[in-house]
Amino acid sequence: MKPQSDKVLMRAVQRGDEQAFAELLERHVDALYSYAMRLTASQSFAEDLVQETWLVVWTKTSTYDFRKSALTTWLHRVLYNKFIDATRKKKFATEPLDSNNEPTAPRQNLTTDMAWLNKELSRLPESQRAAILLAHAQGFGNKDIAQIMHTSVRAVESLLARARRTLRSLYEQEATTNDE
């Protein structure tokens, strides 16, 4: 049996179909959790964001318009909005995934590079971090990122450029420090 499309499943969810909801959740929960985890660097905060996102999917399903965006774009926008709301309320500061907060040793392998990147991503401003994660970790294009973040494509391009420039500068600073 051919799997149903997100559009068909979402229409079923809009009619109150719990099985369709469960299938959508299973299909998209990992991508949302991955995005939330990299946004927050906090397992409990990421889990809360994902749970709140799925609560919106179930309770406010009528707010999704098939003509305006793909379901994955809408899901990421809901999660991003929940993240922004929570950070405004709690003034939540993300912590680097490297919990000992010590300088990273010279990068010798991909695992070390990823640990460095996760640590440095947490230092970027929220909007730059969100944009770069949506582009590189989640694979969205600039137009979809603009929809998710409620901004223009030009603003997304600027956020991405600033984030990349900052990360490149941090990388070069660390390389210079490690060479000394």
Side-chain angles (χ1 to χ4, degrees):
M1 185 172 169
K2 183 180 173 187
Q4 295 183 355
S5 71
D6 284 347
K7 191 175 187 176
V8 169
L9 288 171
M10 193 59 179
R11 284 195 172 132
V13 170
Q14 289 175 332
R15 292 188 305 272
D17 186 329
E18 292 178 18
Q19 188 172 358
F21 176 80
E23 191 171 333
L24 277 178
L25 188 140
E26 184 176 327
R27 195 177 283 183
H28 297 285
V29 72
D30 290 341
L32 289 174
Y33 180 73
S34 174
Y35 176 55
M37 208 33 218
R38 296 193 77 185
L39 261 180
T40 67
S42 164
Q43 183 177 353
S44 62
F45 190 28
E47 289 170 354
D48 288 347
L49 287 174
V50 172
Q51 185 175 10
E52 289 176 25
T53 298
W54 287 107
L55 184 61
V56 168
V57 172
W58 183 251
T59 61
K60 297 182 181 178
T61 190
S62 63
T63 63
Y64 173 62
D65 185 348
F66 300 95
R67 297 167 299 208
K68 289 187 178 178
S69 65
L71 179 64
T72 55
T73 303
W74 183 70
L75 291 171
H76 280 78
R77 180 175 44 219
V78 170
L79 190 139
Y80 176 75
N81 288 344
K82 292 294 179 185
F83 170 71
I84 293 301
D85 290 347
T87 56
R88 285 181 183 151
K89 286 179 188 172
K90 297 179 183 178
K91 300 289 185 210
F92 177 80
T94 58
E95 295 179 18
L97 292 178
D98 178 15
S99 60
N100 61 14
N101 289 327
E102 293 179 15
T104 310
R107 289 178 294 287
Q108 298 171 356
N109 60 42
L110 183 58
T111 303
T112 307
D113 283 349
M114 289 308 296
W116 177 88
L117 181 59
N118 285 329
K119 179 179 159 224
E120 299 307 326
L121 281 172
S122 69
R123 293 172 54 187
L124 291 175
E126 293 167 5
S127 57
Q128 289 179 26
R129 182 172 62 245
I132 205 137
L133 289 172
L134 286 166
H136 295 286
Q138 303 304 109
F140 285 102
N142 291 356
K143 183 178 176 184
D144 288 332
I145 295 169
Q147 275 191 316
I148 291 168
M149 296 181 68
H150 303 287
T151 191
S152 68
V153 172
R154 182 174 228 112
V156 167
E157 291 167 350
S158 178
L159 288 169
L160 289 171
R162 286 193 314 259
R164 289 176 184 132
R165 192 169 41 249
T166 300
L167 289 171
R168 188 177 312 112
S169 173
L170 291 168
Y171 186 85
E172 289 169 358
Q173 286 174 7
E174 186 170 316
T176 302
T177 303
N178 289 334
D179 289 343
E180 294 173 357

